[in-house]
Amino acid sequence: MKTKAAVLWEYGSDWSVEEVELDDPGPHEVRVKLAASGLCHSDDHVRTGDLQVRLPMVGGHEGAGVVEAVGSAVTTVKPGDHVVLMFVPACGRCRWCATGHSNLCDLGAYLMIGEEIGGGFRIHARGQDVSTMCILGTFSPYCVVHETSVVKIDDDIPLDKAALVGCGVTTGWGSAVYLGETRPGDTVVVVGIGGIGAAALQGARHAGAKYIMAIDPVPWKREMALKLGATHVAESMEAALEPLVELTRGQLADVAILTVGVARGAHIGPLMSLVAKNGRAVVTAVAPHYEEQVSLKLHDLTFFQKQLRGGLFGGANPRADIPKLLELYRKGDILLDEMITRTYTLEEINQGYADMMEGKNIRGLIRF
Ligand code: CXF
Ligand code: ZN
């Protein structure tokens, strides 16, 4: 079928919204009519070339919609089902899926391979095969994806809110709850209040943290953070240290989560300096491919027993956790409406990313 999509043809250029040809679903694939797609920073990392994948590529990896057609071998969903797209698929069979780490599913290798699961491409434009961000490509009203990339959700959940749970919300919430192992009474610091940071605050609140400090240089984001669970705010990691010392009587944070738009090796030292003995520094932010080295004080590890943890998808099991998080949304435990700052048409996508870079959005969202 013919549809439109936001395509990236070369690093550094804008998203080009244009007509593309979308193949019918293969045996293990489904076609989803998307309701909404979140504007996550990671797509912009590809646009700038900080994350290098095969181009041309349809962007977008944070979407939800309704299954419209399924391939002959699909057993897990049917036409009419509401689904969230997961930015890492879950095969259910590999070692990682089988041991409760499906965020690390071996099929995740396809995120960097550039072809779809099973090989080849489902989108074509200007006579060329087109890849898809995270084997999804949600910057389009329609996408054809492998059935391992979708999870069915209840019909009454608004799909625009559900879209955010396909990446940012699960990543942030899981960073506080699973990777950070936040416990009742803990002190948690969240550095960077975008989609991931806003969800990390809410994960920390859910887990019963006593003090939650949100760090962001943008004043209105600090205000918003106070509505999403933060008890204290600061402009920078440096400015946070003194109030944190005071709050915790010198003990510092049990959990510090780095969710800034562009992670740098130089962030890790200041992050670790906010962490208490036996505490955890969690890094979920995406780093440019050329930013490889971090510098650590060995005494932080071996004398103070601080831990530095990386994270993908919040250490969650998205097929189980996405419906769970949406149930928490239904109960009012997770606020998603408040995370959507502005909505855009697909044609306005470049404006959406410009707004993100100017600090105007917690999450921008494309509605189809
Ligand atoms: C990213 C992680 C690195 C690969 C692209 C997707 N995650 C979410 O935004
Ligand atoms: Zn993302």
Side-chain angles (χ1 to χ4, degrees):
M1 67 181 276
K2 289 204 188 313
T3 185
K4 60 183 177 176
V7 185
L8 186 69
W9 289 92
E10 54 186 334
Y11 298 126
S13 68
D14 278 347
W15 296 100
S16 166
V17 179
E18 57 190 87
E19 186 177 272
V20 300
E21 182 68 34
L22 181 66
D23 293 347
D24 287 338
H28 288 282
E29 293 173 343
V30 305
R31 182 168 71 237
V32 179
K33 185 175 189 327
L34 286 153
S37 175
L39 298 178
C40 175
H41 203 127
S42 300
D43 300 277
D44 197 62
H45 282 303
V46 175
R47 194 193 62 76
T48 59
D50 280 358
L51 257 182
Q52 304 239 328
V53 298
R54 180 195 171 279
L55 301 183
M57 179 197 82
V58 172
H61 64 279
E62 196 179 75
V66 180
V67 174
E68 205 184 57
V70 301
S72 55
V74 170
T75 55
T76 48
V77 288
K78 57 183 186 315
D81 281 353
H82 289 205
V83 291
V84 170
L85 306 177
M86 305 184 286
F87 87 82
V88 179
C91 74
R93 298 175 180 190
C94 69
R95 172 186 166 187
W96 313 107
C97 284
T99 54
H101 302 286
S102 71
N103 59 319
L104 302 175
C105 175
D106 280 339
L107 290 179
Y110 280 93
L111 269 64
M112 292 299 152
I113 289 170
E115 293 193 21
E116 303 302 323
I117 296 172
F121 304 87
R122 307 295 175 265
I123 302 178
H124 318 276
R126 304 188 199 176
Q128 291 186 44
D129 291 326
V130 182
S131 302
T132 50
M133 179 76 177
C134 298
I135 48 173
L136 298 175
T138 60
F139 293 162
S140 171
Y142 295 91
C143 63
V144 168
V145 300
H146 199 264
E147 70 172 315
T148 54
S149 291
V150 305
V151 53
K152 179 175 158 38
I153 61 167
D154 288 342
D155 290 359
D156 63 315
I157 301 289
L159 287 166
D160 54 347
K161 317 304 182 301
L164 305 191
V165 187
C167 176
V169 169
T170 306
T171 300
W173 195 91
S175 295
V177 174
Y178 298 136
L179 299 168
E181 295 180 44
T182 303
R183 295 189 184 96
D186 275 356
T187 296
V188 178
V189 170
V190 177
V191 187
I193 306 303
I196 296 175
L201 295 173
Q202 301 195 64
R205 177 170 64 182
H206 174 89
K210 180 177 181 190
Y211 297 123
I212 303 174
M213 183 173 286
I215 300 179
D216 199 286
V218 179
W220 79 265
K221 288 193 179 184
R222 296 199 295 273
E223 286 295 312
M224 184 56 85
L226 291 166
K227 295 184 183 135
L228 296 173
T231 57
H232 297 77
V233 294
E235 278 176 41
S236 65
M237 289 197 267
E238 290 69 27
L241 191 56
E242 200 184 301
L244 197 59
V245 166
E246 211 160 292
L247 277 176
T248 61
R249 282 179 276 112
Q251 293 187 358
L252 301 175
D254 302 291
V255 184
I257 304 167
L258 187 71
T259 79
V260 293
V262 183
R264 304 268 176 204
H267 287 137
I268 304 304
L271 187 74
M272 290 292 269
S273 73
L274 301 177
V275 173
K277 286 193 277 191
N278 198 39
R280 294 155 299 281
V282 178
V283 180
T284 73
V286 173
H289 67 90
Y290 49 82
E291 189 79 9
E292 291 177 326
Q293 306 294 324
V294 300
S295 174
L296 289 172
K297 288 185 187 157
L298 284 170
H299 265 203
D300 274 345
L301 305 181
T302 56
F303 195 69
F304 299 123
Q305 200 170 294
K306 299 182 188 183
Q307 296 170 43
L308 175 61
R309 294 191 176 174
L312 183 73
F313 226 152
N317 286 280
R319 190 176 292 289
D321 279 317
I322 286 172
K324 183 166 94 181
L325 291 172
L326 290 171
E327 187 57 36
L328 293 178
Y329 166 71
R330 192 189 263 133
K331 287 189 180 138
D333 187 328
I334 295 183
L335 307 177
L336 299 180
D337 304 45
E338 291 75 358
M339 286 179 55
I340 301 172
T341 319
R342 285 183 176 75
T343 61
Y344 305 89
T345 64
L346 182 61
E347 286 71 17
E348 292 169 333
I349 185 167
N350 293 302
Q351 184 59 48
Y353 273 109
D355 287 348
M356 182 193 76
M357 294 310 289
E358 285 174 34
K360 290 182 179 168
N361 289 345
I362 300 283
R363 237 336 170 241
L365 187 92
I366 294 171
R367 279 187 214 284
F368 297 107

